[in-house]
Amino acid sequence: MSTIERESMEFDVVIVGAGPAGLSAAIRLKQIDPDLNVVVLEKGSEVGAHILSGAVLDPVGLNALIPDWKDKGAPVKTAVTSDSFVVLGPAGSARIPNWPMPRLMSNHGNYIVSMGNVCRWLATQAEELGVEIFPGMAASELVMDGDRVAGVVAGEMGRNPDGTPGPSYEPGMELRGKYVMIAEGVRGSLAKQLIERYDLSAGHEPQKFGIGMKEIWEIDPAKHKEGTVVHTMGWPLGKNAGGGSFIYHAENNQVFIGFVVHLNYENPYLYPYAEFQRFKHHPMVAELLEGGKRVAYGARAISEGGWQSLPKMTVPGALLLGCSAGMVNVPRIKGNHNAMLSGIAAANAAAAAIAAGREGDELVEYEQDVRTGLIAHDLKRVRNVKPAWSRTGMMGSLMLGGMDMWVASLFNRNILRTWKHGKTDAAATRPAKNYRPIDYPKPDGKLSFDRLTNVAFSFTNHEESQPCHLKLKDPTVPIRVNLPE
């Protein structure tokens, strides 16, 4: 525990993260009881600054939260008009017909959106209801009261690279609440602290991860088809790794082009970023992008464990929401709708508890809602796709996972029951001596770009002297183990 003295502020509910989960929770709390004192902390300079824009949104969560969102001007306007799945080879492609696909895979009724803009709009709705939103306020540690989470430390600045207070150190404040909601997104620092401190993953499968990279392009209007959604699998990853791509035609001649690599690949020479850059040279993709320009780049981790890997989500005084728990539907490449539904469920549980005079206890009602409601229905139907891919590869997953999803969609049960993931992604990596280095082509500066150049298009800024938030448990491992092996 920290011995630094800080000022404190009291709230009914403290929410960490102004993403779809956190903002949905804030809005629902004020909808239920306008007198509740609710604060949302956002580490980005503004709401949406740390949201990687470009997604297909299932509006089920938005419908539940703000049924008249269209009348209120939500930036959710580009309906999906065309939806296709393509398997790529080195120089060609083959489209998979839509009819064999389980109905849950259809994007009919969904929208291509900038989630950054959606979150900015949600923030205005929250503020109109009286929610306090503090951007530029990263939460650095939990405030504990015995075994209970009583709040968070926010706004701490000026630490040296080794973590000690520097000459311009500011201790920040303690923001205390009757309940604290952690909605940081995947691999958030406070979520990791909670999961480790309370051993929340005990009895659950290890979480699985992917890396998602995305570029926003402005393309030739003659090639732009607003509302078009294309998903691909196969080349360039092939048997080297699981994953695939998406291409979303948004408004204003923009295309969101993304590439996901599952992190349980065996070959340590695999370089996910270079695979993404190589993907854009496939004839189908290169033709689309030719004459266009990249305007933004970003990357983020993706939780891929799904139903089996959901940890326990409640501790005394705190809850895990959305991607902090891992609510992504992997085959649909969607998590925003479940994030919003989790925020609604958390708010319902917290508001009822506060109305009953409770505080700081474990909101088991929230966990029950997640594990029996719409989120469970969404995740349980697809629970075997990821482990089937890990065990049998892409084609096996298409056949086995597809059959399992079909039966789950029709009869609400999985014929494969629940397959286990078995091991962590790190444990999947094999020794380098078993593989040859991969010869990646040099970026051409037109379709493909080196990583440093692309990072400049992510518009992120960091102080050179700030502490690194990624800490090695054993600093000797990279040189002693990883490099030679």
Side-chain angles (χ1 to χ4, degrees), residues 86-94 232-236 238 279 281-284 394:
V86 179
V87 177
L88 299 182
S93 61
T232 82
M233 58 191 77
W235 190 89
F279 158 74
H281 286 273
H282 188 277
M284 184 189 82
M394 182 183 75

Side-chain angles (χ1 to χ4, degrees), residues 6 157 171 186 301 364 473 480:
R6 298 182 174 93
M157 300 179 185
V186 61
V364 294
K473 289 185 177 180
R480 179 172 51 85

Side-chain angles (χ1 to χ4, degrees), residues 305-428:
W307 180 252
Q308 297 92 313
S309 301
L310 283 180
K312 186 172 181 288
M313 290 167 276
T314 61
V315 303
L319 312 168
L320 294 174
L321 276 57
C323 280
S324 289
M327 298 181 185
V328 171
N329 183 314
V330 172
R332 297 182 73 199
I333 320 181
K334 291 178 179 62
N336 290 311
H337 62 300
N338 285 336
M340 297 182 75
L341 290 171
S342 74
I344 294 170
N348 290 341
I354 292 171
R358 294 159 49 193
E359 68 173 274
D361 60 336
E362 198 164 330
L363 292 175
V364 294
E365 304 91 337
Y366 164 68
E367 180 120 11
Q368 183 178 12
D369 190 319
V370 170
R371 295 194 182 275
T372 60
L374 290 175
I375 296 172
H377 181 66
D378 186 62
L379 294 181
K380 289 170 77 172
R381 291 181 298 171
V382 304
R383 64 181 126 176
N384 292 314
V385 173
K386 170 64 175 173
W389 196 320
S390 299
R391 291 192 199 180
T392 65
M394 182 183 75
M395 296 310 296
S397 177
L398 282 174
M399 295 169 62
L400 286 171
M403 179 177 62
D404 194 58
M405 284 192 293
W406 257 116
V407 173
S409 298
L410 294 172
F411 304 108
N412 206 30
R413 70 183 187 89
N414 297 78
I415 56 172
L416 299 179
R417 297 190 178 180
T418 302
W419 280 19
K420 294 183 177 181
H421 297 301
K423 58 185 177 182
T424 66
D425 294 326

Side-chain angles (χ1 to χ4, degrees), residues 42-78:
E42 168 54 38
K43 65 183 177 182
S45 58
E46 63 171 352
V47 173
H50 281 219
I51 301 291
L52 191 56
S53 292
V56 172
L57 176 68
D58 179 341
V60 59
L62 191 56
N63 290 338
L65 183 68
I66 306 175
D68 58 344
W69 54 266
K70 288 185 180 180
D71 296 333
K72 290 189 173 181
V76 181
K77 299 174 182 177
T78 305

